[in-house]
Amino acid sequence: MAPPTAIVTGASSGIGLALTKYLLERNWNVVMADINPPTESLPGTKFIKCDVSSWDDQASLFQQAYQWNNRLDFCALNAGIDDRDDIFSSISHDANKPPKKPSMKTLEIDLIGPYYGIKLAAHYMSLDSAAAGKAKPGGKIVATASAAGIYPIPQCPQYGTAKHGLVGLVRSLSPRASMLNVRINAVCPALVKSGLAPPGLLDSFTEEQFTPMSTILRVFDELAEFDSIGNDDWVEKGKSGETVEGNLDRLIYHQPPPRPDTSSYSDEEGLKAWDRAYIERNKKFVEAP
């Protein structure tokens, strides 16, 4: 029987590389997805070059990952970049110099990419993989959001928008995903040493201001319970829809704000009406066999 299999995007450096090594220590097989290959050879891994903003790239990634061991158990949607455009610094104050079309690569990688990944992961995790030693269909997904998905970050508005959107996506998808034994959560790192920041920025902070990588790995482990993968009910139990900030040595769970009691659509019957309307409407999105 094959060991459990994970996909980690953005796996060649930073959080993705640390998570890959963490999984390998626990006898997982890991598909490392990144634009650039890792600088070290890691037994138990398979590198696949992938631009997560491309549906075709990700579709190929997931197909190859599943075919590697005929199972997919966990997916870390971790790849990300910071801003590639600025609105207010580009104001020319000249009527003859209107702004150029902005680069939206940050949103494509940091928000659309995880949406692609969740759609693909849900498919491959839900396949019957009993012959490969997986007791039940299902799996766990952790998306790397950011503390910038909880608090405003004026310096990187596209990044903040994408990460806020990712938190909303996880919270919105988790109830129906859980019914299919697919559990989706978000990790929100504070300031972590990585290659994401512009050159020189990290030099402005003291060592005490950085969140250690060990804290972020604790969040992943708490959300995915890697050491419990051998339990038959691993896909059926565990956290779902959680947003967990890793800040210094703390794991902080952030809950969505409650709806007001006077909301016209949030009572039980109103929510059932939403479910009926969208379940019926969304049937047309099912692909023909």
Side-chain angles (χ1 to χ4, degrees), residues 92-213:
S92 69
H93 303 286
D94 185 337
N96 296 314
K97 295 181 179 179
K100 297 177 181 178
K101 180 181 178 180
S103 168
M104 306 305 290
K105 198 65 177 179
T106 304
L107 291 169
E108 293 168 2
I109 289 176
D110 294 1
L111 182 56
I112 296 175
Y115 190 98
Y116 289 163
I118 293 171
K119 188 175 182 74
L120 288 159
H123 169 74
Y124 286 101
M125 288 176 174
S126 299
L127 297 178
D128 183 352
S129 301
K134 184 175 173 180
K136 297 177 181 178
K140 300 189 178 184
I141 302 168
V142 177
T144 300
S146 169
I150 303 167
Y151 318 109
I153 182 166
Q155 300 82 4
C156 300
Q158 280 196 3
Y159 182 80
T161 297
K163 298 304 185 179
H164 273 75
L166 190 51
V167 168
L169 182 64
V170 165
R171 288 173 171 168
S172 298
L173 291 176
S174 62
R176 292 190 65 191
S178 294
M179 291 188 286
L180 299 174
N181 291 337
V182 175
R183 305 196 170 273
I184 307 175
N185 297 283
V187 55
C188 295
L191 183 62
V192 176
K193 287 185 178 180
S194 73
L196 182 69
L201 174 61
L202 300 186
D203 296 337
S204 302
F205 298 91
T206 65
E207 196 65 32
E208 292 73 22
Q209 292 175 290
F210 290 105
T211 293
M213 193 66 73

